[in-house]
Amino acid sequence: MKAAALLIFIAFSVSVSAKKQGNKHYITNQSPLVAQPYTTLPIGSIQPEGFLLKMLETQRDGLTGHLDSIYSLVCGPDNGWLGGTGDGWERGPYWLDGLVPLAYILDDAELKKKAQKWIEWSIQSQREDGYFGPKPLPEAYIKIPGTQQGMRNDWWPKMVMLKVLQQYYMATEDERVIDLMTRYFKYQLKLLPENELGYVTYWGNRRGGDNLAIVYWLYNVTGDKFLLDLAEIIHEQTFDWTAVYSGNMIRSLNPLPNLHCVNVAQGLKEPIVYYQQHPEEKYLGAVKNGLSALRDCHGFVNGMYGADEFLHGNIPTQGSELCSAVEMMYSFETAVPITGDVFYADYLEKIAYNVLPTQSTDDYMRKQYFQQANQVKITDEPRNFFHDTNGRIVYGTTTGYPCCLSNMHQGWPKFIQNCWYATADNGIAAMLYGPSKVKAKVANGEWVTITETTDYPFREKIRFTIQPESDLKFPFHLRIPQWCKSSRITVNGAVQNNEVSENIVVLNREWKPGDVVELYLSMDFRFSRWNEMSLGIERGPLVYALRIEEEWREITKKGYDDTFWEVLPKSPWNYAISKKVIEEGDFEIEVNEEVKSNPWNLENAPVRVHTKGFRIPEWKEEKGSAGPIPLRPRLVGDRVEEEIVLIPYGCTTLRISQFPVH
Ligand SMILES: [Zn+2]
């Protein structure tokens, strides 16, 4: 009798687990896809606070909230994704890819209304056969310069709109999205054998990983088996990123065929996404290997790589595109929940907290197409970039090339959306750190709210206040960054000695309303060497760079759609640092009492590092950039060391972040 009851119990639990794998409350990988340790929460579950909230509010008041009027030629009412004869390609969907999460995280009625027009049109546009999006234009249409009206049957812009619709569903659960995707993916399954991903433009072939990720996501919602067949075809037709990242191609200075900067960033997700269906180590290994190759041969201390269109080596005055930064972030945001590997979370914070804030203006009304790790002057003059025209480095709107103007908006909203995850053991994980609040289902579906109060990334302490509705047992996962040599966790003041496994600590206990967890992450200086043995200085998640006084001037120029800003240096930049300073640890840190709502500029920089450098008169400007890094500069003759101030890279506009070393 007892044995029979036990058998029934086992049978019951097997059937339950076969039905839903992993986290019980949210959409997560289902068999045969590999179980994922972390799961993305619905949009609206995570609320930014402090400076993270300020970043979103600035986007709302800046370009993201107003691109339809500021860039009306492309994102206005004539866009193909609103049924017009204007641009019918990627730029409308790019904007929505940031606008939708922004609107729903901020719960902003006006922004939601703006986004809804595009969503409704996209849903209504679906044909009987499953196709959706702008229809091919009639033979004789009026050409509008500055837009991409053609290429409407390209698979690529749909990949972006699928990401938009997925996020819209994660905010609203509008079931029409599931229906649209199912019918569209059946259409893809039928058409792809003949019209391959790259049949209209090569972008579809390079960026198939974005398509693939949504196919798996839909599988987790509906369990439709045809999606797994479609996934195989999409992977097959996508550029072989696994081979490229595993091999030596990236290790050549100017690889052929050309590797485009944004594709390299976007492609990083493909092997990891496909790994879900084929969990073989080679896919994960490829991405790590590719990132090492990028670092070794094209890398900068800021985490980006020299690729001013095509990969272009590691001289710190080569450019890195804003699209590359936000797409690299999105690739890492895809990798973290699948792999649970904190390497990607650390890297994601590095891009968000260093590269991202400085590539747009404080009011989020202008952006740079390229930024430089050593950037001493921002003017509309040719530099040594692959593509060198149209103000590649100035702060403008359509300057450089207009992709970034539309694609930049996803940066902060998606970063915030990935700060917290649900976990496979029905708990919650704090994965990226910053001031925020989360409300999510844990344990058997009970709600918990956790408030994260912190000045991270500028300070070492993070405080979590836990509010279950009543006493409740659930696991709370905390990331210990790989750069952190010493961490400490307390619960209500009592030091915890939990095991750290793969840089994750799990506090599994009964939580009472008002419990407080404090996490202390020591931030020690780290020194690294780059092009011509130049010195990079990091501390915690932040890179430090020379503080240079700035003079901003707004320029109106014939042939440009809009005004743009140039920035000139008002203090010297040609400093070297001696080995002695590094060895003696001659770095004095000064942290402000208060972190301002926008910490990302010279005035508000929350941290200053006082150290010593000496000027090298022969290190001069060349073609608007700092000349080649002097190898082994000498501290001789009348050269003297003087105090220099370093501030977080993200607070600089002009900077030296890779110093010559004596
Ligand atoms: Zn771009």
Side-chain angles (χ1 to χ4, degrees):
M1 191 63 195
K2 213 175 166 187
L6 187 66
L7 265 179
I8 290 164
F9 174 71
I10 289 167
F12 175 74
S13 46
V14 166
S15 78
V16 166
S17 66
K19 206 171 157 204
K20 179 92 168 75
Q21 164 182 294
N23 184 279
K24 283 197 286 195
H25 314 300
Y26 297 106
I27 299 165
T28 195
N29 274 357
Q30 295 306 304
S31 172
L33 302 185
V34 69
Q36 57 185 101
Y38 297 111
T39 294
T40 311
L41 291 166
I43 293 180
S45 308
I46 302 165
Q47 290 299 316
E49 300 194 331
F51 80 88
L52 284 178
L53 175 61
K54 177 71 177 175
M55 294 301 101
L56 294 202
E57 290 171 344
T58 309
Q59 283 196 222
R60 173 197 66 201
D61 300 337
L63 287 172
T64 316
H66 300 90
L67 205 64
D68 48 348
S69 51
I70 290 166
Y71 191 33
S72 60
L73 176 73
V74 164
C75 291
D78 202 29
N79 189 286
W81 287 92
L82 293 172
T85 54
D87 197 278
W89 205 47
E90 66 184 13
R91 292 184 214 159
Y94 264 164
W95 175 41
L96 271 284
D97 194 26
L99 178 65
V100 166
L102 180 73
Y104 283 91
I105 292 172
L106 289 180
D107 193 21
D108 184 300
E110 206 177 314
L111 294 187
K112 286 183 198 172
K113 204 171 132 202
K114 278 191 194 215
Q116 199 64 28
K117 274 200 305 193
W118 297 70
I119 306 265
E120 289 302 326
W121 189 88
S122 297
I123 293 173
Q124 306 297 336
S125 75
Q126 192 161 34
R127 293 190 313 223
E128 267 309 295
D129 64 1
Y131 178 93
F132 85 108
K135 310 287 183 295
L137 287 165
E139 285 289 317
Y141 65 91
I142 299 156
K143 291 212 166 46
I144 311 169
T147 68
Q148 287 162 319
Q149 292 162 284
M151 306 187 290
R152 290 180 163 216
N153 47 352
D154 192 359
W155 297 110
W156 155 239
K158 275 90 170 171
M159 297 181 196
V160 187
M161 195 48 99
L162 288 170
K163 289 194 290 173
V164 172
L165 291 170
Q166 180 211 24
Q167 294 178 91
Y168 169 69
Y169 180 87
M170 290 298 280
T172 63
E173 296 189 354
D174 185 337
E175 287 297 327
R176 294 178 301 164
V177 170
I178 305 303
D179 182 53
L180 175 139
M181 285 186 181
T182 303
R183 289 170 57 206
Y184 176 67
F185 287 145
K186 283 182 179 161
Y187 173 81
Q188 276 203 304
L189 185 68
K190 202 166 139 196
L191 270 281
L192 277 178
E194 214 157 298
N195 299 334
E196 295 206 350
L197 283 180
Y199 91 116
V200 178
T201 70
Y202 92 129
W203 305 102
N205 161 276
R206 296 299 194 272
R207 298 171 176 182
D210 288 58
N211 200 152
L212 190 61
I214 306 294
V215 171
Y216 290 137
W217 177 80
L218 186 66
Y219 173 76
N220 293 330
V221 176
T222 67
D224 273 341
K225 291 280 189 279
F226 85 90
L227 294 166
L228 300 178
D229 301 332
L230 175 63
E232 295 289 4
I233 296 173
I234 290 173
H235 172 72
E236 184 64 36
Q237 292 187 4
T238 301
F239 188 64
D240 193 351
W241 288 111
T242 304
V244 167
Y245 295 133
S246 310
N248 284 324
M249 191 171 164
I250 287 173
R251 291 192 178 273
S252 66
L253 199 54
N254 303 118
L256 281 171
N258 287 326
L259 286 176
H260 187 268
C261 53
V262 185
N263 291 341
V264 168
Q266 229 167 317
L268 286 168
K269 77 168 74 61
E270 203 281 339
I272 297 176
V273 169
Y274 187 61
Y275 166 87
Q276 296 176 100
Q277 195 171 354
H278 292 272
E280 294 166 36
E281 195 50 42
K282 68 172 179 180
Y283 296 113
L284 303 185
V287 178
K288 286 275 176 82
N289 190 67
L291 285 167
S292 296
L294 281 173
R295 183 189 192 280
D296 295 348
C297 304
H298 309 275
F300 306 138
V301 64
N302 64 13
M304 295 305 300
Y305 45 90
D308 24 41
E309 298 297 334
F310 306 119
L311 286 184
H312 201 180
N314 67 356
I315 296 171
T317 49
Q318 298 313 142
S320 70
E321 194 184 322
L322 181 49
C323 280
S324 301
V326 294
E327 290 295 352
M328 198 166 175
M329 286 174 63
Y330 183 58
S331 287
F332 296 154
E333 286 155 3
T334 308
V336 175
I338 297 170
T339 62
D341 189 341
V342 302
F343 168 85
Y344 295 111
D346 292 354
Y347 210 144
L348 179 47
E349 277 188 356
K350 184 169 192 174
I351 305 300
Y353 287 151
N354 295 284
V355 175
L356 185 64
T358 173
Q359 211 154 349
S360 53
T361 52
D362 282 358
D363 58 5
Y364 210 76
M365 288 298 280
R366 298 285 192 275
K367 59 95 198 63
Q368 285 180 298
Y369 182 68
F370 292 143
Q371 72 167 282
Q372 297 170 306
N374 279 359
Q375 181 168 273
V376 299
K377 191 179 175 190
I378 295 175
T379 51
D380 183 24
E381 300 168 276
R383 283 166 171 75
N384 199 34
F385 302 144
F386 264 113
H387 288 204
D388 232 351
T389 49
N390 305 102
R392 295 274 157 170
I393 192 174
V394 300
Y395 286 93
T397 49
T398 55
T399 43
Y401 184 81
C403 52
C404 304
L405 176 65
S406 305
N407 194 15
M408 62 198 280
H409 314 279
Q410 63 172 314
W412 286 115
K414 288 186 186 173
F415 178 81
I416 288 159
Q417 193 51 32
N418 286 274
C419 284
W420 294 86
Y421 294 116
T423 66
D425 53 5
N426 299 308
I428 190 145
M431 189 57 72
L432 308 173
Y433 295 125
S436 60
K437 187 188 251 182
V438 65
K439 186 179 180 189
K441 283 182 195 169
V442 293
N444 291 307
E446 294 89 347
W447 290 97
V448 65
T449 301
I450 303 180
T451 307
E452 178 177 345
T453 313
T454 185
D455 285 334
Y456 188 94
F458 308 106
R459 279 216 162 89
E460 298 166 306
K461 204 163 87 181
I462 306 167
R463 181 188 168 94
F464 302 93
T465 308
I466 301 179
Q467 291 290 356
E469 282 164 359
S470 55
D471 295 3
L472 182 64
K473 187 169 191 237
F474 65 89
F476 180 22
H477 296 219
L478 294 160
R479 158 181 152 257
I480 309 297
Q482 290 180 339
W483 47 254
C484 179
K485 294 284 166 270
S486 154
S487 62
R488 191 176 67 242
I489 296 173
T490 63
V491 177
N492 300 327
V495 177
Q496 308 293 300
N497 291 310
N498 292 67
E499 191 189 328
V500 184
S501 171
E502 308 280 333
N503 284 70
I504 295 282
V505 172
V506 181
L507 303 173
N508 193 0
R509 54 182 281 150
E510 185 166 88
W511 299 98
K512 294 184 176 9
D515 276 351
V516 172
V517 174
E518 283 192 328
L519 170 64
Y520 169 86
L521 300 168
S522 81
M523 295 180 179
D524 304 314
F525 280 104
R526 304 190 306 285
F527 304 100
S528 51
R529 294 302 186 99
W530 304 85
N531 170 262
E532 298 290 24
M533 298 299 285
S534 58
L535 174 74
I537 302 167
E538 294 170 77
R539 179 176 171 268
L542 299 181
V543 176
Y544 283 81
L546 179 70
R547 186 185 194 281
I548 300 174
E549 293 290 337
E550 306 155 359
E551 181 187 331
W552 289 68
R553 58 181 191 200
E554 191 170 14
I555 307 285
T556 308
K557 201 166 172 179
K558 209 168 159 240
Y560 286 72
D561 299 330
D562 211 341
T563 64
F564 58 83
W565 290 85
E566 295 188 335
V567 189
L568 304 176
K570 284 181 66 186
S571 60
W573 54 264
N574 51 352
Y575 287 96
I577 292 179
S578 70
K579 273 189 210 142
K580 191 162 152 274
V581 167
I582 307 167
E583 282 157 12
E584 291 179 359
D586 197 352
F587 297 90
E588 194 193 322
I589 304 160
E590 190 191 342
V591 187
N592 289 356
E593 267 313 302
E594 184 202 356
V595 173
K596 294 278 171 52
S597 63
N598 177 11
W600 305 113
N601 56 41
L602 278 196
E603 298 71 45
N604 295 349
V607 188
R608 282 169 304 288
V609 174
H610 302 269
T611 185
K612 290 197 188 78
F614 64 95
R615 291 187 64 186
I616 321 166
E618 67 273 21
W619 191 20
K620 292 197 169 84
E621 180 193 313
E622 283 181 26
K623 284 180 79 181
S625 294
I629 298 222
L631 192 60
R632 307 179 68 192
R634 292 281 164 238
L635 179 52
V636 289
D638 55 2
R639 295 182 184 183
V640 286
E641 286 188 307
E642 50 186 295
E643 187 189 296
I644 56 172
V645 176
L646 314 178
I647 57 173
Y649 184 105
C651 305
T652 64
T653 298
L654 303 178
R655 68 185 74 96
I656 294 295
S657 64
Q658 295 181 206
F659 292 89
V661 179
H662 164 66

